[in-house]
């Protein structure tokens, strides 16, 4: 029964998002505004709060190096797999196999599984996925779309991104033990209340947006099936490898294990569909991302059951 209290609300909110979109209660502009609010306000707050209260150590450095490894490993594995896809979409394959949509998907599900207070490791790792997205991925996708992105434009897109700013400030705050100082001060109650007001709506809003954007057309979903298969095959191999490495080095805690299993199951960055310009590419990336979301939710259900049977966070 406890597992159902985790799973049912997730699917309910996604269904609500789909219904709101189909009945035109929620417009495309409305969805865009909700996403902007989540990306520019709620997610940065969660990242900052988790980082200043986290414990940064040599283990954190190992996890960051692992994140860099899996990002580039999945990216380069994508190049020889291009031959299995149509010419109009094959160039998107390397970008589709790497990165993780942590902010607009993964963080919410991971927080449900392990609670927000245990998000430090994943947010630390995912910050480098964000850097990869706004540099290599954004530049490559813009080039595929026939655009050029200068070094200046790339730099500006990074330093002005609210989540990146929050991560940097969070690391600085962590270095000065800001979280501990706040918790030991007379302002702890006020700070906690403000943070809760800003973080609590996050999962609900993101899941509603995800539901509103789901493509459920069978013919469209089938087009993304092959690429989804390759992505999850690659991610499964990489996940097994890094879980083994972590268990032999820094130690695999239950929180880290559950977090990594869910993190490496989430879709690639939603930016993939933002730069697709060709009709076939747009349809393909949309079907691919929608299919990944559905698969990720099924994996979330399985991990929820496993976590509930074995751990109590």
């Amino acid at each position: 029964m406890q597992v159902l209290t985790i799973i049912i609300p997730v699917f309910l909110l996604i269904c609500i998002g789909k219904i709101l979109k189909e009945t035109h209660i929620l417009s495309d502009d409305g969805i865009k505004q909700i996403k902007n609010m989540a990306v520019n306000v709620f997610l940065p707050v969660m990242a900052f709060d988790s980082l200043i209260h986290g414990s940064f150590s040599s283990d954190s450095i190992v996890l960051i190096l692992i994140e860099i490894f899996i990002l580039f490993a999945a990216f380069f594995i994508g190049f020889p797999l291009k031959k299995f896809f149509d010419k109009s979409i094959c160039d998107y394959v390397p970008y589709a196999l790497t990165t993780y949509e942590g902010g607009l998907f993964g963080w919410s599900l991971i927080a449900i599984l392990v609670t927000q207070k245990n998000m430090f490791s994943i947010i630390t790792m995912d910050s480098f996925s964000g850097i990869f997205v706004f540099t290599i991925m954004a530049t490559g996708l813009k080039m595929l779309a026939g655009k050029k992105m200068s070094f200046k434009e790339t730099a500006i897109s990074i330093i002005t991104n609210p989540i990146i700013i929050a991560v940097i400030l969070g690391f600085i705050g962590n270095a000065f033990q800001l979280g501990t100082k706040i918790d030991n001060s007379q302002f702890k109650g006020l700070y906690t209340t403000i943070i809760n007001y800003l973080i609590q709506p996050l999962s609900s809003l993101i899941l509603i947006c995800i539901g509103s954007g789901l493509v459920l057309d069978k013919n469209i979903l089938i087009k993304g099936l092959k690429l989804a298969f390759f992505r999850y095959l690659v991610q499964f191999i990489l996940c097994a490898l890094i879980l083994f490495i972590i268990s032999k080095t820094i130690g695999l805690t239950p929180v880290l294990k559950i977090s990594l299993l869910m993190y490496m199951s989430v879709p690639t960055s939603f930016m993939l569909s933002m730069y697709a310009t060709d009709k076939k590419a747009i349809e393909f990336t949309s079907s691919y991302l929608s299919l990944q979301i559905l698969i990720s939710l099924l994996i979330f259900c399985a991990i929820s059951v496993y976590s509930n049977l074995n751990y109590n966070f």
Side-chain angles (χ1 to χ4, degrees):
M1 185 63 184
Q2 188 176 350
V3 175
L4 294 179
T5 62
I6 297 174
I7 296 173
I8 290 177
V10 171
F11 280 91
L12 178 62
L13 287 167
I14 289 174
C15 289
I16 289 173
K18 187 66 177 176
I19 293 170
L20 291 176
K21 179 66 184 300
E22 293 296 324
T23 56
H24 304 292
I25 294 175
L26 193 59
S27 66
D28 289 336
D29 285 339
I31 296 167
K32 183 179 179 180
Q33 291 304 317
I34 292 174
K35 288 182 179 178
N36 285 338
M37 186 165 57
V39 170
N40 295 312
V41 181
F42 299 140
L43 285 171
V45 170
M46 175 187 276
F48 176 78
D49 182 62
S50 296
L51 290 173
I52 65 170
H53 283 99
S55 178
F56 195 81
S57 64
S58 58
D59 291 356
S60 304
I61 298 175
V62 172
L63 292 175
I64 290 170
L65 292 175
I66 286 174
E67 174 75 359
I68 294 171
F69 165 73
I70 60 178
L71 287 170
F72 281 97
F75 180 64
F76 286 114
I77 288 172
F79 285 94
L81 296 178
K82 289 168 60 175
K83 63 183 178 182
F84 294 105
F85 296 88
D86 185 81
K87 187 176 180 180
S88 62
I89 57 176
C90 66
D91 289 333
Y92 290 90
V93 173
Y95 303 100
L97 292 188
T98 190
T99 73
Y100 307 91
E101 187 51 68
L104 279 176
F105 191 82
W107 291 9
S108 297
L109 296 184
I110 295 169
I112 292 171
L113 291 171
V114 302
T115 72
Q116 190 269 331
K117 67 179 181 180
N118 291 316
M119 292 289 290
F120 175 76
S121 295
I122 286 299
I123 290 179
T124 302
M125 292 176 66
D126 195 52
S127 63
F128 285 84
S129 179
I131 293 173
F132 188 96
V133 166
F134 288 105
T135 53
I136 294 174
M137 190 170 188
T139 302
L141 290 174
K142 282 190 174 183
M143 289 174 65
L144 290 179
K147 300 177 182 178
K148 292 184 178 181
M149 191 171 181
S150 66
F151 175 80
K152 182 179 179 181
E153 290 175 323
T154 302
I156 291 175
S157 70
I158 295 173
I159 63 177
T160 59
N161 183 277
I163 296 179
I164 299 297
I165 293 172
V167 167
I168 294 172
L169 292 177
F171 280 131
I172 295 173
N174 183 286
F176 288 95
Q177 298 184 322
L178 181 60
T180 302
K181 291 177 181 178
I182 292 174
D183 291 342
N184 293 332
S185 74
Q186 59 181 325
F187 300 106
K188 178 184 177 181
L190 175 62
Y191 173 84
T192 302
T193 300
I194 293 173
I195 292 296
N196 287 339
Y197 273 127
L198 292 172
I199 290 178
Q200 286 175 354
L202 178 61
S203 295
S204 300
L205 289 176
I206 288 178
L207 290 172
I208 287 173
C209 287
I210 287 169
S212 68
L214 271 181
V215 177
L216 299 178
D217 186 292
K218 183 178 69 173
N219 294 324
I220 293 177
L221 290 174
I222 288 174
K223 292 182 179 181
L225 190 59
K226 186 197 296 185
L227 185 52
F229 168 77
F230 279 121
R231 175 174 171 91
Y232 281 100
L233 177 61
V234 169
Q235 293 300 321
F236 174 79
I237 294 171
L238 289 175
C239 186
L241 176 61
I242 67 167
L243 289 178
F244 174 76
I245 292 173
I246 291 173
S247 66
K248 297 298 182 181
T249 54
I250 63 177
L252 188 61
T253 65
V255 167
L256 186 56
K257 181 180 181 180
I258 295 299
S259 298
L260 284 171
L261 286 172
M262 190 67 247
Y263 179 68
M264 296 189 71
S265 301
V266 304
T268 188
S269 171
F270 291 166
M271 184 178 282
L272 183 69
S273 63
M274 290 173 58
Y275 291 108
T277 53
D278 179 79
K279 183 179 179 181
K280 286 186 177 181
I282 292 172
E283 189 177 76
F284 178 71
T285 54
S286 296
S287 67
Y288 172 64
L289 289 171
S290 293
L291 190 59
Q292 278 192 90
I293 289 171
L294 294 173
I295 294 172
S296 296
L297 291 172
L298 292 176
I299 295 174
F300 169 76
C301 293
I303 294 176
S304 297
V305 173
Y306 172 77
S307 177
N308 185 254
L309 291 174
N310 294 277
Y311 310 114
N312 182 27
F313 300 117

